[in-house]
Amino acid sequence: MTGPVPPDDEASRLALLRELDVLDSEPEPIFDRVTQLAAHLFEMPIALVSLVDTERQWFKARVGLAARETPREDAFCAWTIHGDDVLTVPDAAADPRFAEHPLVVGEPNIRFYAGAPLKSEAGALGTLCVIDRKPRTFADADRTTLEHLAAIVTEALVLRRDRLVSDRRARLLAAAEELAAIGHWRVDLARQTLFWSDQVYRIHGLDPATYTPTLEAAIEAYHPDDRDLVARSVERCIAEREPADFEARIVRPDGSVRLVRAMGVSEGAGAEAVGIFGVFHDITERKELRDRLTQAEKLASIGTMAAGVAHEINNPLTYVKVNALTLAEEMEAWMGDRPSGRLVGLHELVEEIRDGAERIERIMGGLKVFSRRSEGRREEVDLERVVQLAQRLCANELRHAARFELEVEAPARVTADETQLVQVAVNLIVNACQAMEGDAEANLVRARIGRAGDRAFLVVSDTGAGMSEDVRRQLFTPFFTTKERGVGTGLGLAITHGIVTSFGGTIDVASELGSGTSFRIELPAREDDA
């Protein structure tokens, strides 16, 4: 014998079967239980959940049969999927379609068969069937019961698909959250529970296996200066149904600080919120990048300005310096050995003019660093020699401020302008000295030199007063200074930043109030040092 031709809906039926992703899957309790229940209810030795594939029937669940699949041409179920009703074969040996069937004349010696199609919008996917080794009858009530059980199997297949789709989406969401550093959360106000996605745990630096979040603990995780802002936003979201949207800092268990943006909305149809949910985004790197871009824009603007301003000022400044020098020499000649009080006073004014002109000249020299016309020469530079030269130039400041230590972890040579790198080191050492008070022997400025991969580094740290985060954020901004008016121009660290970046390097600072400050400069190391 041969099986029936494929039904008219064969293409759509098979497409849905592939979409369900169930063929050759592992056994699952829901299908096993329905099959066992069918065998028990109808007192049949064999019951099967059969899925009809292109060339086979595969059993998702089975009772009383060892085989996992049989050829489609041998399948009773291949006939069942042609209709919408239960197919019954009271005595297969007396039915012309099955009398010579190998499963009838041989094991498992089928005589009775009843199969209900697993109906779907695309056609019958297979059957739930019961089989006996002796002829039987099947009442209308039995047919109805088998149809109900088949409907349960079909619904279970659909739920299984939906669960798989949901799992895939959850995995995609988790991957997207990890890539974007965004997590999601939900507060259940009735149960007073807080759910965090895996990425929220990562942002907090916590392990979901060992930590259970609460709303109170989540607010406590924020920086003390930001907690009131967070608490007020959450309260308004709950009480007034006002969306929450804020940026604040969280402090991880290891002490590191991350800047996050949290957004949340309330849920519930009534007057009172039943929960709030939202997203949680780590914007630390984005904020740092934004600050660097702002800094780069400022430096670019200063660079454009510097070329013109320096040229326009230097010419008249030369006249002022030369004339002030000439005037000072003339006055010294007039005064001779018996200077009058009035001439001495005028001479001091002329000296102040000269000092002022030299100060302007130094500021213009600093501004030129930002101009592309002042890129510096490129040569082999040894960072150890740079620090030693800077130490000698800063000897007076160090003598009154702190002890100095130089630690060389590895030779570090770069391609740069030695004079400009000495200026960088001098700026950092002088700033370190100015950050410390008290006994010089109790204070320390340390310079550390070495290599990290293909980068050479110079770290200058001090045991001074440190700085606040607000000061640290503005540290490399031109003309920003915490010194008294007239003491500093606010260009030292901006110039340092400009020099370092002009040679392809980076400069970062780590500091906390009361814990000192550390500047780290990294530059491309010379390849012959590797």
Side-chain angles (χ1 to χ4, degrees):
M1 62 153 286
T2 58
V5 297
D8 293 339
D9 54 15
E10 178 76 353
S12 60
R13 190 188 68 78
L14 290 174
L16 180 56
L17 198 57
R18 299 288 181 272
E19 182 185 329
L20 292 173
D21 194 21
V22 64
L23 294 172
D24 300 309
S25 60
E26 293 297 318
E28 295 174 62
I30 179 63
F31 302 104
D32 291 341
R33 288 168 184 162
V34 171
T35 309
Q36 291 163 4
L37 179 60
H40 174 73
L41 284 174
F42 301 113
E43 298 180 349
M44 300 278 184
I46 299 173
L48 306 167
V49 172
S50 172
L51 300 173
V52 181
D53 196 3
T54 311
E55 297 179 352
R56 60 172 178 160
Q57 68 170 346
W58 179 80
F59 305 127
K60 175 60 181 170
R62 62 196 192 281
V63 171
L65 190 68
R68 291 297 305 271
E69 62 181 57
T70 64
R72 179 170 174 170
E73 61 184 17
D74 294 343
F76 279 60
C77 298
W79 294 86
T80 308
I81 63 174
H82 277 260
D84 293 330
D85 301 323
V86 174
L87 173 66
T88 59
V89 180
D91 185 353
D95 190 318
R97 294 171 297 177
F98 306 109
E100 298 178 4
H101 196 289
L103 301 180
V104 174
V105 298
E107 285 294 330
N109 302 117
I110 298 173
R111 294 297 295 275
F112 174 83
Y113 170 91
L118 303 178
K119 301 174 187 177
S120 75
E121 68 276 10
L125 303 172
T127 72
L128 171 63
C129 64
V130 288
I131 296 171
D132 204 343
R133 296 186 176 91
K134 60 187 179 182
R136 293 185 57 158
T137 58
F138 212 56
D140 288 343
D142 294 334
R143 297 167 70 92
T144 301
T145 301
L146 188 61
E147 285 178 337
H148 288 328
L149 291 175
I152 293 173
V153 172
T154 304
E155 290 175 7
L157 287 171
V158 173
L159 289 173
R160 181 185 185 279
R161 176 192 61 185
D162 294 344
R163 186 180 70 250
L164 291 175
V165 171
S166 178
D167 289 345
R168 290 191 194 105
R169 288 175 178 170
R171 290 196 296 271
L172 285 172
L173 176 61
E177 286 190 350
E178 184 174 2
L179 182 65
I182 296 177
H184 66 279
W185 52 269
R186 182 182 182 274
V187 178
D188 187 320
L189 296 175
R191 296 184 176 86
Q192 288 295 299
T193 57
L194 173 60
F195 165 81
W196 281 355
S197 70
D198 288 346
Q199 187 58 29
V200 178
Y201 281 99
R202 290 191 191 98
I203 294 172
H204 278 86
L206 294 167
D207 184 355
T210 58
Y211 182 80
T212 301
T214 64
L215 183 57
E216 294 77 12
I219 293 176
E220 285 295 315
Y222 283 90
H223 192 282
D225 295 342
D226 296 343
R227 284 177 196 155
D228 286 344
L229 165 68
V230 176
R232 287 197 304 270
S233 297
V234 172
E235 289 169 2
R236 284 197 300 269
C237 191
I238 295 172
E240 303 173 20
R241 312 295 290 269
E242 179 181 326
D245 187 351
F246 57 83
E247 292 184 8
R249 295 161 294 174
I250 59 168
V251 183
R252 288 173 163 176
D254 62 4
S256 61
V257 177
R258 307 295 294 179
L259 180 65
V260 300
R261 182 182 180 186
M263 300 175 66
V265 294
S266 61
E267 59 179 342
E272 295 185 1
V274 298
I276 55 176
F277 66 94
V279 294
F280 195 72
H281 187 194
D282 187 342
I283 60 172
T284 308
E285 282 75 22
R286 189 179 74 175
K287 177 66 166 55
E288 291 176 353
L289 178 59
R290 187 170 61 200
D291 290 345
R292 287 173 184 166
L293 288 174
T294 301
Q295 177 76 359
E297 289 172 357
K298 290 179 180 179
L299 295 177
S301 298
I302 292 176
T304 302
M305 176 192 72
V309 170
H311 175 74
E312 295 297 329
I313 290 180
N314 277 337
N315 286 339
L317 186 62
T318 302
Y319 302 145
V320 173
K321 288 176 60 181
V322 171
N323 290 336
L325 176 60
T326 302
L327 184 56
E329 291 174 348
E330 290 294 328
M331 292 183 70
E332 289 172 1
W334 292 343
M335 289 187 295
D337 296 331
R338 290 180 293 176
S340 68
R342 185 175 182 183
L343 285 175
V344 169
L346 291 174
H347 185 267
E348 290 175 353
L349 289 175
V350 172
E351 289 298 326
E352 289 181 6
I353 291 172
R354 291 179 61 191
D355 289 342
E358 290 175 355
R359 179 176 172 79
I360 293 172
E361 188 175 42
R362 287 195 299 273
I363 292 174
M364 289 299 101
L367 284 174
K368 283 183 178 180
V369 171
F370 300 110
S371 173
R372 291 183 179 179
R373 298 181 189 178
S374 179
E375 294 181 347
R377 61 181 180 175
R378 304 295 176 106
E379 59 187 345
E380 180 185 313
V381 178
D382 185 343
L383 290 185
E384 182 178 2
R385 171 179 159 81
V386 165
V387 174
Q388 290 170 343
L389 291 172
Q391 179 187 1
R392 288 200 290 271
L393 291 172
C394 299
N396 187 56
E397 285 84 355
L398 287 167
R399 185 180 303 111
H400 297 93
R403 294 176 292 110
F404 182 82
E405 291 182 359
L406 171 59
E407 178 183 350
V408 180
E409 296 180 2
R413 295 182 300 159
V414 298
T415 300
D417 183 326
E418 182 180 79
T419 301
Q420 290 191 358
L421 289 188
V422 170
Q423 181 183 356
V424 166
V426 167
N427 277 340
L428 297 182
I429 293 173
V430 169
N431 281 350
C433 291
Q434 293 174 347
M436 292 182 287
E437 297 178 352
D439 183 9
E441 284 300 312
N443 299 328
L444 177 64
V445 175
R446 175 183 286 113
R448 188 163 57 88
I449 294 167
R451 283 183 57 121
D454 60 353
R455 309 280 282 182
F457 66 80
L458 164 61
V459 178
V460 177
S461 57
D462 64 65
T463 57
M467 64 186 78
S468 67
E469 187 175 342
D470 288 340
V471 171
R472 185 178 61 79
R473 283 200 299 264
Q474 304 178 74
L475 209 55
F476 300 112
T477 302
F479 305 111
F480 171 78
T481 181
T482 58
K483 298 173 184 175
E484 296 180 3
R485 186 178 180 86
V487 176
T489 64
L491 284 173
L493 287 174
I495 289 170
T496 295
H497 183 278
I499 292 173
V500 171
T501 55
S502 72
F503 296 125
T506 59
I507 178 169
D508 294 297
V509 59
S511 182
E512 289 185 14
L513 285 173
S515 300
T517 300
S518 177
F519 286 89
R520 183 182 179 92
I521 291 170
E522 291 191 3
L523 293 162
R526 288 180 63 87
E527 293 183 1
D528 51 4
D529 271 355

